[in-house]
Amino acid sequence: MHIIVLVKQVPDIEKVQFLKDKGWVDRASADSEINPFDLNAVEAAQQMKEIPGTTVTAISMGPASAEAVLKEAIARDADRGILLTDERFAGADTLATSCALAAAIRKAGDFDLILCGEKTVDGDTSQVGPSVAERLGIPHLSFVSEISAVAEDKITMVAETASGSVIVESGYPLLITGTKDLNTPRLPTLKDKLRARKAEVEKWSAADLADMADLSKFGHEGSATWVDSISVPPEKKRKGEILKGEDSAGKLVAALDKDGLLKG
Amino acid sequence: MENKDVLIYAEQEGGKVHPICFELLGKGRELAEKTGATVSCALLGSGVSDAAQELVAYGADTVYVFDDDSLAVFDPLAYKLNVARLVGEIAPGLVLFGATFAGKALAPRVATALEAGLTSNCIALELQDDGSLLQIRPAFTGTFLASIKTKSSPIMATVRYRALEAGTRDDSRKGAIIEKDVQTVQTTVKVLGKGAAKKASIAGADVVVCVGRGLKKAEDFALVQELADALGGVVGATRPLVDDGWISKDHQVGFSGTLVKPKLYVGCGVSGSPQHLAGMRDSGTIVAINSDPSVSLFRIADYSVVGDMYEVIPQMLEALKK
Ligand SMILES: Cc1cc2nc3c(=O)[nH]c(=O)nc-3n(C[C@H](O)[C@H](O)[C@H](O)COP(=O)(O)OP(=O)(O)OC[C@H]3O[C@@H](n4cnc5c(N)ncnc54)[C@H](O)[C@@H]3O)c2cc1C
Ligand SMILES: Nc1ncnc2c1ncn2[C@@H]1O[C@H](COP(=O)(O)O)[C@@H](O)[C@H]1O
């Protein structure tokens, strides 16, 4: 089987500083890392390597520094890392991102399964996966919380729905986006990290994808949406009452009662 | 937007319309009032025709019904085919989906098929004087609000559940219900059956009693459940408790769990991390119970109780009995 995983480099959302007055994220203030939601997709691919003859290709679109997330994927057993990096890819919304990623997937060769994260911590759209599937004309399943069985001709899994979940079986080709529940990503060993450090990540420019897509559909030019303005959400006016000491629980209940928030 | 007509994807499960649709219809009517446009719904499924009248009651001028066995289970590929075709046919200016599991699986496929932009997780849609539509969504776990504009047509967005006001139901409203031919598609995806039903539905709850790492052991959930019962609510939890397997994921409040907007949120032993706040900061009234007076959750709380939850909760239960 040939499996493709899509991974993105994101700022460490727990440490990154926000310049609230400017509406900026100070990306220099914290390290970048692999999107935490993508680690579940990488782990799933890693587990599938137990099927003999399975190879994994990790693909990312981003700045040159995003090579690091592909090395991370290689440390976690990906056989090949491809970075789409070019000014022409910059400023892409999900429509343009999916165009570049789908073109790269086509160029990377025949595949069976594409694995994505549920969402990115910075983009937070959950759109890129389904959009890539649409561009490739293949079925997809979003919010897969469990992969129950994988064989060379089919995969069985559980996907989340509003009321619960469904059990689904599918052949290939297929794209899935996995949730945090999919698995617990393992940490790579020191040996794996050393091996990955030496590995070669292929770098593809927009021109390298010219046979696969219309270049005007990449990056800023190919995007259909843009951020018009950024603001800090107005904090809702809160009462801010602090209750301390002996009868604070009683006072709280009385206050909630007064506000009409108690049942009955 | 030249054409101002609004099309709403009417998500249903087992013939029951998802309440987000009534909120989208509320917004649709508000926009239509300003622009004179029409509001229609796309209702897909098997044996779903009965739901069409309800959509009319909530504000739809027209409901396009795609009722066929082949649509009995939700498959993004088959659903996309029919929704995208309808969009091509009626050429609306705006297409809205709920930012639900199904909405987020379907909308990007429809948008990409139409080479249209799509804004995710909107919490407000504002018509500008120049006729453009601002789509407002949280960014970076709610630290910022981004206002997005779209240059492609139609404008497309998914909207968060409970962000907009639902329209009012009026059963005397009249609307057209139009049966559409259903196109089918070859797919390898086969639904074998239903998995476990969700144990908790915290997304739509009016009261959420959420507990964090202040909880000392899993058994103590009983105490939290008791408080939730007394307040007529459901139990929520922060991610560490879910990660430790103390409670199922359906209970997780936050960025990687469920977004909640109850009338009353009570956080017990919850510090208020950005990822947690992203899932509950818009709650009506916020109560925080924490032994540490410096925690973030206190900063956005209406009522802050500084104390040990193991003492405060039993005292609350006592007071609630009166
Ligand atoms: C990508 C990503 C996504 C995430 N998504 C989510 C998410 O969806 N939801 C989520 O919740 N988290 C999420 N997190 C985790 C988040 O960063 C925090 O780790 C988590 O919210 C902290 O949970 P907590 O408040 O229970 O724990 P802590 O921060 O440890 O807080 C526990 C609190 O309990 C108080 N306490 C202790 N004992 C008592 C007592 N006896 N009485 C009263 N108070 C007491 C302490 O003072 C403390 O404030 C995410 C993280 C990442 C990186
Ligand atoms: N620039 C990118 N490069 C590679 N994969 C991406 C990129 N952006 C998004 N993805 C994939 O799409 C998923 C959803 O991202 P998003 O739509 O941004 O929430 C991620 O978890 C990744 O698997």
Side-chain angles (χ1 to χ4, degrees):
Chain A
M1 287 217 291
H2 182 204
I3 294 166
I4 292 186
V5 282
L6 298 181
V7 293
K8 188 184 178 193
Q9 187 181 46
V10 298
D12 180 342
I13 205 81
E14 280 174 293
K15 301 210 182 80
V16 76
Q17 297 293 311
F18 297 104
L19 305 174
K20 286 215 175 184
D21 45 337
K22 297 204 182 81
W24 276 353
V25 180
D26 180 10
R27 289 189 193 253
S29 66
D31 289 341
S32 293
E33 60 178 14
I34 188 168
N35 175 34
F37 293 95
D38 294 348
L39 285 178
N40 299 89
V42 174
E43 172 68 32
Q46 202 174 356
Q47 289 178 16
M48 288 172 198
K49 285 199 77 174
E50 280 164 27
I51 300 173
T54 300
T55 58
V56 176
T57 301
I59 302 180
S60 186
M61 183 184 90
S65 66
E67 181 176 7
V69 301
L70 291 163
K71 294 218 164 180
E72 171 97 36
I74 291 169
R76 293 167 189 259
D77 287 350
D79 300 280
R80 190 176 173 200
I82 300 169
L83 176 64
L84 311 184
T85 189
D86 192 322
E87 274 302 308
R88 293 199 70 153
F89 295 129
D93 69 358
T94 58
L95 192 67
T97 300
S98 69
C99 188
L101 290 172
I105 290 168
R106 279 201 209 95
K107 189 177 158 83
D110 288 344
F111 61 89
D112 298 286
L113 184 66
I114 303 172
L115 293 161
C116 303
E118 165 182 347
K119 59 179 171 185
T120 51
V121 293
D122 55 352
D124 184 17
T125 78
S126 307
Q127 285 172 188
V128 169
S131 192
V132 166
E134 178 62 24
R135 293 207 182 272
L136 295 169
I138 62 168
H140 92 276
L141 211 65
S142 286
F143 307 111
V144 171
S145 56
E146 183 187 320
I147 293 176
S148 327
V150 191
E152 277 183 51
D153 57 344
K154 67 171 187 230
I155 176 167
T156 317
M157 64 230 131
V158 179
E160 288 199 56
T161 66
S163 68
S165 58
V166 284
I167 304 160
V168 181
E169 182 188 278
S170 179
Y172 308 117
L174 178 74
L175 180 146
I176 62 181
T177 80
T179 71
K180 277 256 150 218
D181 298 329
L182 202 55
N183 48 45
T184 308
R186 285 164 282 180
L187 285 173
T189 62
L190 194 60
K191 205 168 125 229
D192 290 329
K193 281 189 191 161
L194 286 173
R195 178 176 49 77
R197 198 176 296 165
K198 289 194 211 110
E200 195 67 40
V201 169
E202 294 166 52
K203 296 190 187 73
W204 291 357
S205 67
D208 289 329
L209 300 178
D211 294 344
M212 304 291 164
D214 174 355
L215 299 192
S216 70
K217 289 191 174 179
F218 294 160
H220 180 72
E221 190 185 356
S223 296
T225 58
W226 73 95
V227 179
D228 189 61
S229 62
I230 295 268
S231 63
V232 176
E235 278 300 343
K236 219 167 149 171
K237 250 201 107 44
R238 298 287 177 184
K239 291 201 176 76
E241 278 184 38
I242 296 163
L243 306 168
K244 275 192 250 187
E246 275 294 281
D247 192 34
S248 43
K251 283 185 221 147
L252 172 64
V253 170
L256 295 179
D257 192 21
K258 195 163 146 263
D259 294 347
L261 289 166
L262 299 183
K263 67 168 184 179
Chain B
M1 274 199 280
E2 275 168 40
N3 182 340
K4 308 278 183 203
D5 292 344
V6 183
L7 176 67
I8 290 162
Y9 171 65
E11 177 178 347
Q12 59 79 29
E13 216 180 322
K16 198 171 169 289
V17 173
H18 193 293
I20 178 71
C21 303
F22 308 138
E23 299 169 3
L24 297 176
L25 279 165
K27 189 64 188 186
R29 281 263 62 93
E30 179 203 310
L31 293 171
E33 226 82 310
K34 290 187 189 139
T35 61
T38 65
V39 180
S40 54
C41 285
L43 176 64
L44 287 79
S46 171
V48 293
S49 305
D50 286 351
Q53 200 56 53
E54 194 180 14
L55 296 166
V56 170
Y58 276 100
D61 298 307
T62 309
V63 181
Y64 296 97
V65 183
F66 297 78
D67 199 328
D68 192 76
D69 281 352
S70 66
L71 301 175
V73 291
F74 172 69
D75 173 14
L77 199 56
Y79 274 53
K80 179 255 346 193
L81 190 67
N82 289 286
V83 175
R85 198 163 54 110
L86 178 67
V87 173
E89 223 173 274
I90 67 172
L94 175 64
V95 184
L96 299 176
F97 297 77
T100 58
F101 290 117
K104 286 177 151 191
L106 176 61
R109 283 204 87 118
V110 176
T112 304
L114 298 164
E115 289 287 344
L118 175 66
T119 307
S120 159
N121 294 319
C122 294
I123 56 166
L125 302 169
E126 290 173 7
L127 195 62
Q128 303 299 102
D129 290 337
D130 65 2
S132 63
L133 188 78
L134 272 190
Q135 304 145 61
I136 300 168
R137 59 160 306 204
F140 292 101
T141 53
T143 309
F144 296 122
L145 289 178
S147 297
I148 312 287
K149 280 193 180 175
T150 308
K151 65 181 178 199
S152 53
S153 178
I155 294 173
M156 295 185 63
T158 66
V159 179
R160 270 191 188 171
Y161 180 34
R162 290 204 145 196
L164 307 174
E165 289 286 319
T168 39
R169 183 179 181 131
D170 174 359
D171 285 305
S172 67
R173 269 188 63 94
K174 296 266 180 301
I177 295 172
I178 299 174
E179 294 276 346
K180 300 294 287 182
D181 286 342
V182 172
Q183 281 200 342
T184 53
V185 61
Q186 277 292 1
T187 178
T188 52
V189 177
K190 203 159 69 194
V191 173
L192 302 180
K194 281 203 166 180
K198 286 221 179 351
K199 291 193 202 78
S201 177
I202 61 172
D206 281 333
V207 178
V208 175
V209 178
C210 187
V211 65
R213 258 202 308 229
L215 198 75
K216 294 196 174 76
K217 51 186 190 303
E219 293 74 55
D220 297 344
F221 266 111
L223 181 66
V224 183
Q225 183 68 55
E226 217 182 312
L227 181 60
D229 290 342
L231 293 169
V234 298
V235 171
T238 62
R239 179 160 134 195
L241 305 195
V242 175
D243 284 350
D244 288 349
W246 285 15
I247 190 164
S248 67
K249 173 83 185 276
D250 334 339
H251 294 270
Q252 184 183 319
V253 174
F255 182 63
S256 54
T258 302
L259 311 177
V260 301
K261 199 181 171 188
K263 293 197 180 100
L264 174 62
Y265 166 99
V266 182
C268 314
V270 173
S271 64
S273 66
Q275 294 84 6
H276 187 75
L277 298 186
M280 49 62 67
R281 71 176 338 131
D282 294 328
S283 301
T285 295
I286 295 176
V287 173
I289 305 168
N290 201 306
S291 41
D292 175 356
S294 69
V295 294
S296 312
L297 191 60
F298 279 156
R299 267 178 257 143
I300 63 156
D302 291 284
Y303 300 107
S304 301
V305 182
V306 185
D308 184 337
M309 57 178 271
Y310 284 90
E311 288 167 17
V312 177
I313 296 177
Q315 286 165 6
M316 282 180 76
L317 288 168
E318 203 50 48
L320 283 163
K321 278 191 199 122
K322 286 179 198 151

